[in-house]
């Protein structure tokens, strides 16, 4: 049960940024190069300006940074206190934030009037493959429907080390990649434009506490190391991937662009939406076992908007369909002593549900292009066309409590 909170600030009922959320991000505008901020309703809250009133009792320079990393480094006892204090200020109608007009005017800015920047400096990025419906669909399409999952799949959360340099914040655009492919009917590979440009509906979590080499994180203490989550689109060139991925996994099919949402929703804000995870059979090795409800009920949606057109919802999925939890992914990632650092990003893998409209990639939604998606302008899509914009949205809802992520959006431009 979430205890009911009432804010004096006007918050639209369907806002992702309710009093229960208070995510963290970095913004800029004509006067501010980069400040740490939070969000409430349609507004951002400039935490650097707010700390001029000394409400958090911390050195305000940590809010005048390009990235959240230094703030996150302060540790959860402090970052959670900042979030809780902010919640109190927004609920207490006698608080300095409400009564000091000059402070109020400096702190609140319309979200539509600012630009959100990359929230964290990502040191290392890992992508998992932890949705059983996705792994089953892909195995069915490309291998053997009777043995869709590879022998390791139900024993460990499969993952690979990705590329951090090309992770961009929502609102960017990028060019259709080119590369080496081997058409099914050709003897030799060719070089050219990727024709099968796809999306992957994912979320990612951000490491909030570093470890030393040699240390492992357990499923029981994993949450201490998870600062929060963002939406994640792992853009994928399927034709490049098919040819290159054996035996070491994705490389150039994935590293040209990934998109994240700008607001880091804290794991504490998501706690009320925890749900029971999958029954994991066969039984996992002890280091992967866990107690309690560790999945999260996060509604996920994907929209495709053609240039000059209107949005088409092409997928409705949910984070709760994940077979492996974040805690298991982190325990597995570090079981060999691999160290993690604040700001590292760990993506879920494509999140598909059991039904056809819940598939998290166009590869699955169109079943390898055999069932094109009909758009509301009458055109069809097998994969992403030039100048299409893809937007992922995500939110949790339980009774009147809503905590959302905002949008993760990017536009595919024609090849350079
Ligand atoms: Mn992926």
């Amino acid at each position: 049960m979430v205890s009911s909170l009432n804010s004096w600030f006007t918050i639209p009922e369907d806002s992702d940024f309710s009093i229960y959320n208070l995510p963290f991000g970095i913004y800029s505008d004509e006067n501010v190069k980069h400040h740490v901020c939070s969000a409430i309703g349609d507004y951002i809250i400039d935490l650097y300006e707010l700390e001029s009133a000394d409400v958090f009792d911390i050195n305000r320079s940590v809010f005048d940074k390009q990235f959240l990393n230094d703030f996150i480094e302060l540790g959860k006892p402090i970052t959670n206190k900042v979030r809780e204090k902010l919640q109190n200020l927004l609920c207490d109608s006698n608080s300095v934030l409400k009564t000091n007009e000059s402070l109020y005017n400096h702190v609140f800015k319309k979200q539509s009037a600012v630009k959100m920047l990359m929230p964290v400096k990502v040191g290392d990025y890992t992508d998992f493959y932890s949705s059983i419906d996705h792994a089953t669909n892909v195995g069915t399409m490309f291998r053997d429907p009777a043995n869709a999952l590879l022998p390791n799949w139900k024993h460990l959360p499969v993952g690979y080390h990705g590329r951090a340099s090309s992770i961009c914040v929502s609102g960017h655009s990028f060019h259709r990649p080119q590369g080496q492919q081997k058409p099914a009917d050709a003897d030799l590979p060719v070089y050219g434009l990727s024709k099968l440009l796809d999306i992957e509906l994912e979320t990612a979590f951000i490491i909030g506490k570093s470890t030393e080499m040699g240390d492992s994180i357990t499923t029981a203490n994993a949450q201490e190391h998870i600062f929060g989550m963002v939406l994640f689109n792992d853009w994928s060139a399927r034709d490049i991937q098919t040819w290159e991925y054996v035996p070491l996994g994705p490389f150039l099919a994935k590293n040209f662009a990934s998109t994240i949402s700008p607001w880091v929703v804290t794991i504490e804000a998501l706690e009320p939406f925890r749900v029971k995870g999958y029954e994991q059979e066969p039984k996992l090795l002890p280091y992967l076992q866990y107690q309690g409800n560790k999945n999260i009920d996060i509604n996920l949606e994907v929209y495709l908007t053609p240039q000059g057109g209107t949005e088409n919802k092409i997928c409705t999925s949910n984070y709760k369909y994940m077979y492996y939890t974040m805690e298991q992914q982190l325990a597995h990632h570090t079981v060999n002593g691999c160290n993690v650092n604040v700001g590292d990003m760990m993506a879920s893998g494509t999140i598909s549900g059991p039904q056809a409209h819940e598939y998290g990639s166009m590869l699955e939604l169109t079943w390898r292009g055999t069932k094109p998606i009909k758009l509301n302008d009458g055109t069809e899509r097998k994969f992403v066309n030039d100048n299409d914009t893809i937007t992922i949205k995500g939110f949790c809802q339980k009774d009147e409590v809503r905590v959302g992520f905002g949008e993760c959006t990017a536009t595919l431009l024609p090849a350079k």
Side-chain angles (χ1 to χ4, degrees), residues 116-131:
M116 295 304 295
L117 307 179
M118 250 322 260
V120 286
K121 172 87 181 154
V122 182
D124 280 300
Y125 153 55
T126 300
D127 192 24
F128 285 94
Y129 188 59
S130 290
S131 150

Side-chain angles (χ1 to χ4, degrees), residues 306 310 312 372-381:
T310 55
N312 299 258
I373 299 169
K374 274 214 165 21
L375 303 185
N376 53 25
D377 65 2
T379 63
E380 289 185 342
R381 291 292 184 281

Side-chain angles (χ1 to χ4, degrees), residues 127 160 200 202 234 254 349-350:
D127 192 24
Y160 67 94
E200 289 191 342
E202 305 195 18
D234 179 21
K254 304 274 193 175
T350 310

Side-chain angles (χ1 to χ4, degrees), residues 256-392:
F256 55 91
S258 310
T259 311
I260 63 166
S261 52
W263 295 105
V264 184
V265 177
T266 65
I267 201 74
E268 286 72 23
L270 296 168
E271 208 52 36
F273 310 99
R274 290 276 194 186
V275 290
K276 195 171 179 302
Y278 259 85
E279 289 299 336
Q280 296 175 323
E281 278 292 329
K283 211 168 147 119
L284 291 156
L285 287 169
Y287 81 91
L288 285 172
Q289 293 174 15
Y290 68 93
Q291 306 286 321
N293 291 342
K294 291 295 178 191
N295 272 28
I296 309 180
D297 183 354
I298 308 173
N299 301 288
L300 298 167
E301 300 168 336
V302 183
Y303 295 83
L304 188 156
T305 309
Q307 187 173 31
T310 55
E311 66 178 21
N312 299 258
K313 194 196 276 191
I314 60 170
C315 164
T316 307
S317 188
N318 195 301
Y319 183 78
K320 72 182 177 191
Y321 294 134
M322 294 282 289
Y323 187 84
Y324 290 104
T325 67
M326 291 183 276
E327 289 77 3
Q328 289 179 309
Q329 291 172 334
L330 200 44
H332 183 63
H333 203 306
T334 59
V335 72
N336 62 346
C338 168
N339 52 326
V340 295
N341 290 308
V342 164
D344 286 358
M345 196 165 275
M346 314 275 177
S348 57
T350 310
I351 304 166
S352 294
Q355 299 187 61
H357 69 275
E358 296 173 314
Y359 296 167
S361 65
M362 293 184 75
L363 176 74
E364 296 162 87
L365 289 166
T366 70
W367 209 256
R368 269 182 119 170
T370 60
K371 297 175 185 170
I373 299 169
K374 274 214 165 21
L375 303 185
N376 53 25
D377 65 2
T379 63
E380 289 185 342
R381 291 292 184 281
K382 295 176 178 173
F383 288 91
V384 184
N385 281 8
D386 287 350
N387 302 308
D388 282 350
T389 295
I390 296 289
T391 301
I392 301 176

